[in-house]
Amino acid sequence: MKRETMMSNNGDNGASKDVLTEILSRLPVKSLLRFRCVCHYWYALIKTSSFITKHHHKNNIRLLVQHYESDYRYAIGILTDENLGSTAPLYYNLDEHGIEINPDSVIGPINGIYCLYDRNEHSMCLWNPAIREFRPISLPRLNLPSYISDPTSNFGFGVDPMTNNYKLIWLRQFWDDNLDGPYDLQTVLVYNLCTNSWRLFEIPRDQSRIVRNSLGNSTYMNGVYYWLVEDYYNDYCILSFDLTNENFYDLPTLSEIPKSKFGELALYDNSIAIILFHPNEIENYIEIWAMKEEGFWTKQLTMGPILDVLVPIGFWDNDRQLLIRTNSGRMILYNINTLESRDLGYYGLESALQVYRFKESLFSLKEGDNSFSMVQA
């Protein structure tokens, strides 16, 4: 009791609250979870939403790597500045976290929160790796004819800036086995974390877009989620979803994208960007185009030649280093200033080797109502 009183007084009187908050906000989550036991004042401070937000903005960006293992399971590793390129990166055992799914899709992160989806088991959960919390999501069952086969799923994940509520967008495309073609309806489901409920949209096929690539070819910024898509005329556009009003919008993409190039959506210099490159050339030149104003694209830089590029993924470390997946199945960091590359020590198939940048978060997934409901739009 004496120790608790001393630490409490130190937090209240010995140092200003602002200084204490600033110091604690720079510490890793692992330390903060221990420091909650120091005294009641520290516990209450670390639990406040303002501190959680401040801490998330202060801590360093890390990398989460998902790749396929030989035993038909996906491994998830965490890379920091200290273990980049290490032969023994830090792995997260999902079973030890109580997550009984083998995620083939990882969506996010948003404020350090991921959504994991296991298509084979048709199961989904939200996961905070920093504090080892997860929250199962009950999935809706759709009444579909027996001749409709398993869907192709594409996802989006973000925050409604008006309510600070987390939302998940699930685009589901089905196949009509009788017609041997796409099913007439594309289903869009929106999950609301606050109400723990799904909202259902059904979009006629002639009004929908085909999402080209569910593995990384999408991004989120400021309450809007973006996908690079093709329409039925094989033209590129950007499909966006506003998480506040829950409406879809089309944005014009680069007219400079010929069919010989490939475009990947990313974030660059606080803007939506498209990374362009020639996938069939030995020496690949990569271009970065950013949308500083809606519908207007400006070339930011050209890099190259860069050898052994399969696909660029996105930027890490204040847009100075580009993540690249190589033809030989490696994952490398390419510094756009020094032109040096760094092997991350991961190998895998193209569709099973994914990298996500994230920051640790104290956001708890155990809050909120556990009831489940279905709302028809």
Side-chain angles (χ1 to χ4, degrees):
M1 180 65 68
K2 183 178 180 180
R3 180 177 182 272
E4 180 177 340
T5 301
M6 178 187 67
M7 295 303 295
S8 179
N9 288 338
N10 182 57
D12 290 335
N13 304 317
S16 71
K17 295 180 180 180
D18 291 342
V19 172
L20 177 63
T21 301
E22 186 68 25
I23 294 172
L24 292 179
S25 68
R26 297 175 182 272
L27 298 178
V29 164
K30 185 177 180 179
S31 298
L32 292 173
L33 295 180
R34 296 200 308 267
F35 291 164
R36 289 188 305 183
C37 300
V38 168
C39 64
H40 291 300
Y41 177 76
W42 284 30
Y43 177 84
L45 172 64
I46 294 171
K47 293 279 287 184
T48 61
S49 59
S50 59
F51 179 85
I52 292 173
T53 300
K54 183 180 183 67
H55 171 266
H56 180 71
H57 291 157
K58 289 286 186 180
N59 66 80
N60 295 328
I61 294 176
R62 305 181 178 206
L63 294 177
L64 183 141
V65 181
Q66 177 199 31
H67 68 103
Y68 199 61
E69 290 190 315
S70 57
D71 60 352
Y72 302 102
R73 290 189 63 82
Y74 287 88
I76 292 180
I78 302 294
L79 290 175
T80 65
D81 286 332
E82 290 76 23
N83 66 5
L84 275 179
S86 170
T87 56
L90 173 63
Y91 279 96
Y92 275 84
N93 187 326
L94 297 183
D95 294 333
E96 293 178 357
H97 286 209
I99 303 175
E100 298 179 353
I101 68 174
N102 181 28
D104 47 15
S105 293
V106 177
I107 308 101
I110 298 298
N111 296 336
I113 308 298
Y114 291 92
C115 179
L116 308 179
Y117 176 60
D118 185 339
R119 184 175 181 271
N120 292 327
E121 298 297 329
H122 196 58
S123 59
M124 181 182 291
C125 74
L126 296 178
W127 177 45
N128 184 337
I131 60 176
R132 301 195 173 192
E133 284 188 3
F134 78 100
R135 176 171 172 169
I137 298 177
S138 299
L139 300 183
R141 297 188 178 276
L142 304 178
N143 295 321
L144 296 171
S146 59
Y147 54 84
I148 301 302
S149 60
D150 291 341
T152 298
S153 294
N154 299 279
F155 298 93
F157 186 35
V159 177
D160 177 354
M162 297 296 294
T163 62
N164 291 323
N165 186 24
Y166 291 75
K167 294 182 180 180
L168 174 72
I169 311 104
W170 188 5
L171 309 179
R172 305 182 69 181
Q173 295 171 325
F174 301 86
W175 190 260
D176 189 323
D177 293 328
N178 289 344
L179 300 177
D180 193 25
Y183 188 49
D184 283 340
L185 292 179
Q186 174 177 312
T187 299
V188 179
L189 294 149
V190 178
Y191 174 76
N192 187 313
L193 178 61
C194 182
T195 62
N196 196 26
S197 63
W198 291 93
R199 185 179 179 212
L200 173 65
F201 303 80
E202 289 185 340
I203 304 175
R205 184 163 60 93
D206 60 356
Q207 298 178 16
S208 66
R209 298 286 190 175
I210 300 174
V211 179
R212 296 181 60 251
N213 183 359
S214 63
L215 298 176
N217 208 1
S218 60
T219 193
Y220 164 85
M221 188 178 72
N222 298 336
V224 180
Y225 205 88
Y226 302 87
W227 297 267
L228 183 63
V229 303
E230 281 182 324
D231 60 18
Y232 286 97
Y233 301 99
N234 296 320
D235 292 327
Y236 290 101
C237 84
I238 294 177
L239 179 65
S240 65
F241 182 82
D242 189 309
L243 277 82
T244 297
N245 59 35
E246 297 188 356
N247 286 328
F248 287 95
Y249 303 95
D250 285 349
L251 293 174
T253 190
L254 279 170
S255 59
E256 287 80 2
I257 302 183
K259 293 306 175 183
S260 61
K261 291 186 178 182
F262 183 83
E264 187 79 10
L265 272 186
L267 295 179
Y268 179 79
D269 193 24
N270 297 316
S271 300
I272 300 298
I274 294 181
I275 306 174
L276 295 183
F277 78 113
H278 300 268
N280 297 318
E281 296 183 4
I282 297 176
E283 295 184 345
N284 296 284
Y285 287 86
I286 298 175
E287 301 173 354
I288 308 298
W289 292 74
M291 186 172 61
K292 296 295 184 179
E293 298 181 26
E294 185 172 312
F296 296 93
W297 295 87
T298 305
K299 184 189 290 187
Q300 302 297 302
L301 56 94
T302 300
M303 298 173 288
I306 306 175
L307 302 178
D308 195 25
V309 176
L310 178 63
V311 58
I313 298 174
F315 284 93
W316 182 53
D317 190 21
N318 296 322
D319 299 335
R320 293 193 301 267
Q321 298 191 80
L322 180 65
L323 287 161
I324 294 176
R325 189 189 300 123
T326 70
N327 287 296
S328 55
R330 298 179 298 125
M331 190 69 70
I332 65 173
L333 275 177
Y334 180 80
N335 191 303
I336 65 175
N337 295 326
T338 65
L339 308 184
E340 296 176 343
S341 61
R342 188 176 188 182
D343 196 324
L344 297 184
Y346 284 90
Y347 297 82
L349 299 174
E350 173 188 355
S351 60
L353 181 60
Q354 302 298 320
V355 179
Y356 311 84
R357 66 179 191 174
F358 84 111
K359 292 184 176 183
E360 287 189 327
S361 172
L362 289 162
F363 178 80
S364 176
L365 295 169
K366 294 183 178 179
E367 307 292 337
D369 184 8
N370 291 323
S371 62
F372 178 79
S373 62
M374 187 73 173
V375 180
Q376 178 77 43

PDB file of all heavy atoms in Angstrom, residues 105-122:
ATOM      1  N   SER A 105      -7.163 -14.869 -45.229  1.00  0.00           N
ATOM      2  CA  SER A 105      -7.285 -13.445 -45.526  1.00  0.00           C
ATOM      3  C   SER A 105      -7.018 -12.649 -44.249  1.00  0.00           C
ATOM      4  O   SER A 105      -7.596 -12.950 -43.200  1.00  0.00           O
ATOM      5  CB  SER A 105      -8.680 -13.096 -46.057  1.00  0.00           C
ATOM      6  OG  SER A 105      -8.907 -13.684 -47.323  1.00  0.00           O
ATOM      7  N   VAL A 106      -6.138 -11.664 -44.364  1.00  0.00           N
ATOM      8  CA  VAL A 106      -5.862 -10.737 -43.266  1.00  0.00           C
ATOM      9  C   VAL A 106      -6.232  -9.345 -43.756  1.00  0.00           C
ATOM     10  O   VAL A 106      -5.698  -8.879 -44.758  1.00  0.00           O
ATOM     11  CB  VAL A 106      -4.383 -10.780 -42.838  1.00  0.00           C
ATOM     12  CG1 VAL A 106      -4.112  -9.765 -41.743  1.00  0.00           C
ATOM     13  CG2 VAL A 106      -4.003 -12.185 -42.367  1.00  0.00           C
ATOM     14  N   ILE A 107      -7.144  -8.680 -43.063  1.00  0.00           N
ATOM     15  CA  ILE A 107      -7.648  -7.383 -43.495  1.00  0.00           C
ATOM     16  C   ILE A 107      -7.239  -6.336 -42.463  1.00  0.00           C
ATOM     17  O   ILE A 107      -7.426  -6.523 -41.264  1.00  0.00           O
ATOM     18  CB  ILE A 107      -9.179  -7.396 -43.657  1.00  0.00           C
ATOM     19  CG1 ILE A 107      -9.617  -8.565 -44.557  1.00  0.00           C
ATOM     20  CG2 ILE A 107      -9.668  -6.073 -44.234  1.00  0.00           C
ATOM     21  CD1 ILE A 107     -10.155  -9.748 -43.820  1.00  0.00           C
ATOM     22  N   GLY A 108      -6.704  -5.230 -42.929  1.00  0.00           N
ATOM     23  CA  GLY A 108      -6.283  -4.175 -42.026  1.00  0.00           C
ATOM     24  C   GLY A 108      -4.800  -3.879 -42.221  1.00  0.00           C
ATOM     25  O   GLY A 108      -4.230  -4.167 -43.274  1.00  0.00           O
ATOM     26  N   PRO A 109      -4.197  -3.272 -41.207  1.00  0.00           N
ATOM     27  CA  PRO A 109      -4.805  -2.983 -39.912  1.00  0.00           C
ATOM     28  C   PRO A 109      -5.453  -1.606 -39.872  1.00  0.00           C
ATOM     29  O   PRO A 109      -5.116  -0.737 -40.650  1.00  0.00           O
ATOM     30  CB  PRO A 109      -3.599  -3.013 -38.974  1.00  0.00           C
ATOM     31  CG  PRO A 109      -2.489  -2.458 -39.822  1.00  0.00           C
ATOM     32  CD  PRO A 109      -2.756  -2.961 -41.217  1.00  0.00           C
ATOM     33  N   ILE A 110      -6.349  -1.438 -38.934  1.00  0.00           N
ATOM     34  CA  ILE A 110      -6.913  -0.140 -38.597  1.00  0.00           C
ATOM     35  C   ILE A 110      -6.647   0.086 -37.118  1.00  0.00           C
ATOM     36  O   ILE A 110      -7.165  -0.659 -36.274  1.00  0.00           O
ATOM     37  CB  ILE A 110      -8.427  -0.079 -38.894  1.00  0.00           C
ATOM     38  CG1 ILE A 110      -8.684  -0.286 -40.394  1.00  0.00           C
ATOM     39  CG2 ILE A 110      -9.000   1.255 -38.437  1.00  0.00           C
ATOM     40  CD1 ILE A 110      -8.076   0.771 -41.287  1.00  0.00           C
ATOM     41  N   ASN A 111      -5.799   1.082 -36.817  1.00  0.00           N
ATOM     42  CA  ASN A 111      -5.427   1.374 -35.434  1.00  0.00           C
ATOM     43  C   ASN A 111      -4.916   0.131 -34.706  1.00  0.00           C
ATOM     44  O   ASN A 111      -5.219  -0.077 -33.524  1.00  0.00           O
ATOM     45  CB  ASN A 111      -6.600   1.990 -34.676  1.00  0.00           C
ATOM     46  CG  ASN A 111      -7.005   3.334 -35.242  1.00  0.00           C
ATOM     47  OD1 ASN A 111      -6.211   4.027 -35.876  1.00  0.00           O
ATOM     48  ND2 ASN A 111      -8.253   3.717 -35.035  1.00  0.00           N
ATOM     49  N   GLY A 112      -4.144  -0.682 -35.409  1.00  0.00           N
ATOM     50  CA  GLY A 112      -3.560  -1.868 -34.799  1.00  0.00           C
ATOM     51  C   GLY A 112      -4.473  -3.068 -34.740  1.00  0.00           C
ATOM     52  O   GLY A 112      -4.094  -4.105 -34.185  1.00  0.00           O
ATOM     53  N   ILE A 113      -5.679  -2.973 -35.300  1.00  0.00           N
ATOM     54  CA  ILE A 113      -6.658  -4.057 -35.276  1.00  0.00           C
ATOM     55  C   ILE A 113      -6.720  -4.726 -36.641  1.00  0.00           C
ATOM     56  O   ILE A 113      -6.779  -4.049 -37.675  1.00  0.00           O
ATOM     57  CB  ILE A 113      -8.063  -3.540 -34.902  1.00  0.00           C
ATOM     58  CG1 ILE A 113      -8.005  -2.726 -33.614  1.00  0.00           C
ATOM     59  CG2 ILE A 113      -9.042  -4.693 -34.781  1.00  0.00           C
ATOM     60  CD1 ILE A 113      -7.553  -3.491 -32.413  1.00  0.00           C
ATOM     61  N   TYR A 114      -6.702  -6.059 -36.649  1.00  0.00           N
ATOM     62  CA  TYR A 114      -6.834  -6.833 -37.882  1.00  0.00           C
ATOM     63  C   TYR A 114      -8.141  -7.615 -37.870  1.00  0.00           C
ATOM     64  O   TYR A 114      -8.659  -7.982 -36.805  1.00  0.00           O
ATOM     65  CB  TYR A 114      -5.692  -7.838 -38.019  1.00  0.00           C
ATOM     66  CG  TYR A 114      -4.340  -7.220 -38.273  1.00  0.00           C
ATOM     67  CD1 TYR A 114      -3.497  -6.899 -37.218  1.00  0.00           C
ATOM     68  CD2 TYR A 114      -3.894  -6.970 -39.569  1.00  0.00           C
ATOM     69  CE1 TYR A 114      -2.258  -6.334 -37.442  1.00  0.00           C
ATOM     70  CE2 TYR A 114      -2.658  -6.410 -39.798  1.00  0.00           C
ATOM     71  CZ  TYR A 114      -1.844  -6.086 -38.731  1.00  0.00           C
ATOM     72  OH  TYR A 114      -0.615  -5.523 -38.958  1.00  0.00           O
ATOM     73  N   CYS A 115      -8.636  -7.889 -39.066  1.00  0.00           N
ATOM     74  CA  CYS A 115      -9.728  -8.838 -39.234  1.00  0.00           C
ATOM     75  C   CYS A 115      -9.153 -10.072 -39.918  1.00  0.00           C
ATOM     76  O   CYS A 115      -8.481  -9.968 -40.947  1.00  0.00           O
ATOM     77  CB  CYS A 115     -10.857  -8.232 -40.065  1.00  0.00           C
ATOM     78  SG  CYS A 115     -12.237  -9.365 -40.324  1.00  0.00           S
ATOM     79  N   LEU A 116      -9.388 -11.253 -39.335  1.00  0.00           N
ATOM     80  CA  LEU A 116      -8.905 -12.519 -39.877  1.00  0.00           C
ATOM     81  C   LEU A 116     -10.089 -13.324 -40.385  1.00  0.00           C
ATOM     82  O   LEU A 116     -11.107 -13.457 -39.699  1.00  0.00           O
ATOM     83  CB  LEU A 116      -8.162 -13.314 -38.796  1.00  0.00           C
ATOM     84  CG  LEU A 116      -7.049 -12.594 -38.033  1.00  0.00           C
ATOM     85  CD1 LEU A 116      -6.442 -13.531 -36.991  1.00  0.00           C
ATOM     86  CD2 LEU A 116      -5.979 -12.069 -38.970  1.00  0.00           C
ATOM     87  N   TYR A 117      -9.942 -13.885 -41.592  1.00  0.00           N
ATOM     88  CA  TYR A 117     -11.026 -14.653 -42.196  1.00  0.00           C
ATOM     89  C   TYR A 117     -10.510 -15.995 -42.676  1.00  0.00           C
ATOM     90  O   TYR A 117      -9.492 -16.064 -43.367  1.00  0.00           O
ATOM     91  CB  TYR A 117     -11.643 -13.876 -43.362  1.00  0.00           C
ATOM     92  CG  TYR A 117     -12.719 -14.643 -44.111  1.00  0.00           C
ATOM     93  CD1 TYR A 117     -13.865 -15.088 -43.461  1.00  0.00           C
ATOM     94  CD2 TYR A 117     -12.585 -14.916 -45.472  1.00  0.00           C
ATOM     95  CE1 TYR A 117     -14.850 -15.782 -44.138  1.00  0.00           C
ATOM     96  CE2 TYR A 117     -13.573 -15.612 -46.161  1.00  0.00           C
ATOM     97  CZ  TYR A 117     -14.704 -16.041 -45.500  1.00  0.00           C
ATOM     98  OH  TYR A 117     -15.673 -16.733 -46.166  1.00  0.00           O
ATOM     99  N   ASP A 118     -11.193 -17.050 -42.286  1.00  0.00           N
ATOM    100  CA  ASP A 118     -10.883 -18.414 -42.715  1.00  0.00           C
ATOM    101  C   ASP A 118     -11.992 -18.860 -43.651  1.00  0.00           C
ATOM    102  O   ASP A 118     -13.105 -19.170 -43.224  1.00  0.00           O
ATOM    103  CB  ASP A 118     -10.802 -19.329 -41.492  1.00  0.00           C
ATOM    104  CG  ASP A 118     -10.352 -20.740 -41.850  1.00  0.00           C
ATOM    105  OD1 ASP A 118     -10.475 -21.133 -43.027  1.00  0.00           O
ATOM    106  OD2 ASP A 118      -9.876 -21.459 -40.948  1.00  0.00           O
ATOM    107  N   ARG A 119     -11.682 -18.867 -44.948  1.00  0.00           N
ATOM    108  CA  ARG A 119     -12.704 -19.182 -45.952  1.00  0.00           C
ATOM    109  C   ARG A 119     -13.169 -20.623 -45.846  1.00  0.00           C
ATOM    110  O   ARG A 119     -14.350 -20.924 -46.012  1.00  0.00           O
ATOM    111  CB  ARG A 119     -12.146 -18.901 -47.349  1.00  0.00           C
ATOM    112  CG  ARG A 119     -13.153 -19.105 -48.479  1.00  0.00           C
ATOM    113  CD  ARG A 119     -12.560 -18.681 -49.819  1.00  0.00           C
ATOM    114  NE  ARG A 119     -13.499 -18.853 -50.897  1.00  0.00           N
ATOM    115  CZ  ARG A 119     -13.626 -19.965 -51.600  1.00  0.00           C
ATOM    116  NH1 ARG A 119     -12.863 -21.002 -51.307  1.00  0.00           N
ATOM    117  NH2 ARG A 119     -14.510 -20.047 -52.576  1.00  0.00           N
ATOM    118  N   ASN A 120     -12.248 -21.548 -45.559  1.00  0.00           N
ATOM    119  CA  ASN A 120     -12.620 -22.964 -45.496  1.00  0.00           C
ATOM    120  C   ASN A 120     -13.578 -23.254 -44.350  1.00  0.00           C
ATOM    121  O   ASN A 120     -14.527 -24.028 -44.491  1.00  0.00           O
ATOM    122  CB  ASN A 120     -11.364 -23.828 -45.356  1.00  0.00           C
ATOM    123  CG  ASN A 120     -10.512 -23.808 -46.608  1.00  0.00           C
ATOM    124  OD1 ASN A 120     -11.034 -23.705 -47.725  1.00  0.00           O
ATOM    125  ND2 ASN A 120      -9.203 -23.887 -46.449  1.00  0.00           N
ATOM    126  N   GLU A 121     -13.322 -22.621 -43.202  1.00  0.00           N
ATOM    127  CA  GLU A 121     -14.178 -22.844 -42.034  1.00  0.00           C
ATOM    128  C   GLU A 121     -15.304 -21.823 -41.929  1.00  0.00           C
ATOM    129  O   GLU A 121     -16.146 -21.927 -41.032  1.00  0.00           O
ATOM    130  CB  GLU A 121     -13.328 -22.798 -40.753  1.00  0.00           C
ATOM    131  CG  GLU A 121     -12.262 -23.876 -40.676  1.00  0.00           C
ATOM    132  CD  GLU A 121     -12.858 -25.273 -40.639  1.00  0.00           C
ATOM    133  OE1 GLU A 121     -13.976 -25.424 -40.090  1.00  0.00           O
ATOM    134  OE2 GLU A 121     -12.215 -26.205 -41.160  1.00  0.00           O
ATOM    135  N   HIS A 122     -15.294 -20.834 -42.832  1.00  0.00           N
ATOM    136  CA  HIS A 122     -16.302 -19.770 -42.833  1.00  0.00           C
ATOM    137  C   HIS A 122     -16.389 -19.131 -41.445  1.00  0.00           C
ATOM    138  O   HIS A 122     -17.450 -19.059 -40.823  1.00  0.00           O
ATOM    139  CB  HIS A 122     -17.666 -20.315 -43.251  1.00  0.00           C
ATOM    140  CG  HIS A 122     -18.642 -19.224 -43.633  1.00  0.00           C
ATOM    141  ND1 HIS A 122     -18.396 -18.308 -44.635  1.00  0.00           N
ATOM    142  CD2 HIS A 122     -19.870 -18.899 -43.131  1.00  0.00           C
ATOM    143  CE1 HIS A 122     -19.419 -17.482 -44.741  1.00  0.00           C
ATOM    144  NE2 HIS A 122     -20.321 -17.825 -43.840  1.00  0.00           N
TER     145      HIS A 122
END
